Amino acid sequence: MSGGGDKEGIKSARAANSDCSLILESLIVGKSTEADSMVEWSDAERSAIAAVWGKLNLDEVGPQALGRVLIVYPWTQRYFGTFGDLSNAAAILGNPKVANHGKVVLGALDKAVKNLDNIKGTYANLSQLHCEKLNVDPDNFRLLADCLTIVIATKFGAAFPPQVQATWQKLMAVVVAALTSRYF
Amino acid sequence: MVEWTDFERATIQDIFSKMDYESVGHNALARCLVVYPWTQRYFGNFGNLYNAAAIMGNPKVAAHGAVVLHGLDRAVKNMDNIKATYAELSVLHSEKLHVDPDNFRLLADCLTIVVASRLGTGFTADVQAAFQKFLAVVGSALTKQYH
């Protein structure tokens, strides 16, 4: 990775310009100053993502996606020991803590959709949280992404054609990578 | 041997009995080629795979999608012996076609999305779990004869 040396160069140049506020902001908020690691999004991809996201009821889709993860990949229940009854599909789908947490997760995904050009920076703190505090195996991010994609497919039917699926899965991959980025 | 609950057996039979193999097979394979473009390397003689529209409209993709789904039918009809059912197909994919077995999972994922989009709310979490288990067993059986 060649970014390290450039970051030092940019920092010292900015310090020389006495613009310490920019450096402080990036450190506090965790934003990346490396332009070379940016994901490229075409106009078509941006519109496709906005179109999909615009039609989703986050409060409905979040609980459904998280519910599916807990049902289809039961080992994920280990992260939710305080959620009460997860003993079968009906219990999981009716569990208010699952529903609530599904909404929290989709709310966080909204931040990525609104910051397509800096998903990595947007999720730096969340990544650290999932690693150091929640101890979540990053494989599980992909499982949740897959379940969310399936929920979207069930709702959109023919309105989720291959090209839109490809764009959506690219977004999911970038989000998963960003959430994994602070793991050591 | 893989254990199947009554619900899982009934779910798999139900999904496939109502399925339009040609349409679903076409759609699933086309999605694979669009969403995971490196898979196009296995279809060098299929002609135009240049973009999503070309792939969707390509008659060889449609035909081959149907072939794959009809091949899947054998597992549907032999759920208690999928491993043996696919022994020869596994050897074929490994020794003759040289398909990276990762790709079985990619195609399975695309097939899941097609079925989800067709069944809508009927593709409940339990149905999803059963379907994904079935496809995982299929993928495992197809990978069995790889060295």
Side-chain angles (χ1 to χ4, degrees):
Chain A
M1 300 273 199
S2 62
D6 291 339
K7 211 165 26 170
E8 290 309 307
I10 293 169
K11 268 187 197 170
S12 57
R14 285 189 169 155
N17 284 342
S18 302
D19 202 355
C20 300
S21 57
L22 266 173
I23 303 167
L24 276 174
E25 187 197 359
S26 74
L27 284 174
I28 291 165
V29 181
K31 285 193 185 141
S32 170
T33 57
E34 297 168 3
D36 59 329
S37 61
M38 210 176 85
V39 177
E40 301 279 344
W41 300 100
S42 69
D43 289 343
E45 287 172 332
R46 288 174 197 272
S47 349
I49 289 169
V52 167
W53 199 249
K55 289 190 230 159
L56 291 180
N57 178 344
L58 303 193
D59 285 347
E60 190 197 348
V61 161
Q64 283 184 20
L66 182 58
R68 278 177 195 261
V69 172
L70 297 170
I71 291 165
V72 180
Y73 311 109
W75 60 86
T76 56
Q77 293 169 25
R78 67 179 292 283
Y79 297 113
F80 302 101
T82 57
F83 274 27
D85 189 2
L86 299 177
S87 55
N88 57 41
I92 289 170
L93 293 172
N95 185 310
K97 288 189 169 182
V98 171
N100 214 56
H101 196 68
K103 294 178 193 174
V104 165
V105 171
L106 266 275
L109 198 50
D110 188 58
K111 290 201 232 175
V113 172
K114 307 230 164 11
N115 286 283
L116 288 180
D117 292 313
N118 192 13
I119 293 178
K120 196 162 113 181
T122 302
Y123 282 153
N125 292 337
L126 262 180
S127 179
Q128 213 157 337
L129 173 79
H130 281 77
C131 166
E132 293 179 12
K133 187 154 177 269
L134 303 175
N135 303 124
V136 175
D137 186 322
D139 264 358
N140 295 305
F141 303 146
R142 183 177 55 80
L143 301 184
L144 180 53
D146 285 353
C147 282
L148 180 55
T149 305
I150 285 172
V151 170
I152 291 173
T154 64
K155 290 193 180 303
F156 285 31
F160 193 58
Q163 197 54 67
V164 174
Q165 178 189 337
T167 300
W168 180 255
Q169 290 197 207
K170 174 177 169 178
L171 173 64
M172 291 294 95
V174 171
V175 164
V176 167
L179 279 170
T180 314
S181 68
R182 292 297 166 114
Y183 281 67
F184 307 117
Chain B
M1 204 178 86
V2 179
E3 300 281 343
W4 301 101
T5 65
D6 290 342
F7 174 81
E8 288 168 340
R9 288 180 193 276
T11 298
I12 298 304
Q13 297 308 313
D14 189 53
I15 291 175
F16 280 87
S17 70
K18 296 184 194 144
M19 190 190 284
D20 177 345
Y21 282 48
E22 274 67 32
S23 167
V24 168
H26 173 192
N27 212 301
L29 182 59
R31 276 177 197 266
C32 210
L33 297 170
V34 168
V35 180
Y36 311 111
W38 58 87
T39 57
Q40 293 168 27
R41 67 179 290 282
Y42 296 112
F43 303 102
N45 61 344
F46 270 28
N48 187 358
L49 299 177
Y50 186 60
N51 55 35
I55 290 168
M56 284 304 291
N58 185 309
K60 289 188 171 184
V61 171
H64 196 68
V67 164
V68 171
L69 257 282
H70 285 296
L72 203 48
D73 197 52
R74 286 202 256 166
V76 176
K77 299 197 163 35
N78 287 283
M79 283 177 70
D80 289 313
N81 201 5
I82 293 177
K83 197 161 99 184
T85 303
Y86 282 152
E88 284 179 24
L89 264 179
S90 179
V91 171
L92 173 78
H93 281 77
S94 159
E95 296 185 9
K96 187 157 178 268
L97 304 175
H98 303 300
V99 175
D100 186 321
D102 260 1
N103 295 304
F104 303 143
R105 181 178 56 80
L106 301 182
L107 181 55
D109 285 354
C110 286
L111 180 56
T112 302
I113 284 176
V114 174
V115 169
S117 66
R118 302 275 164 120
L119 296 184
T121 50
F123 197 66
T124 63
D126 279 335
V127 168
Q128 178 187 337
F131 194 67
Q132 289 193 209
K133 173 177 171 177
F134 175 72
L135 292 179
V137 171
V138 165
S140 167
L142 280 171
T143 312
K144 198 72 193 157
Q145 304 297 329
Y146 278 67
H147 308 300

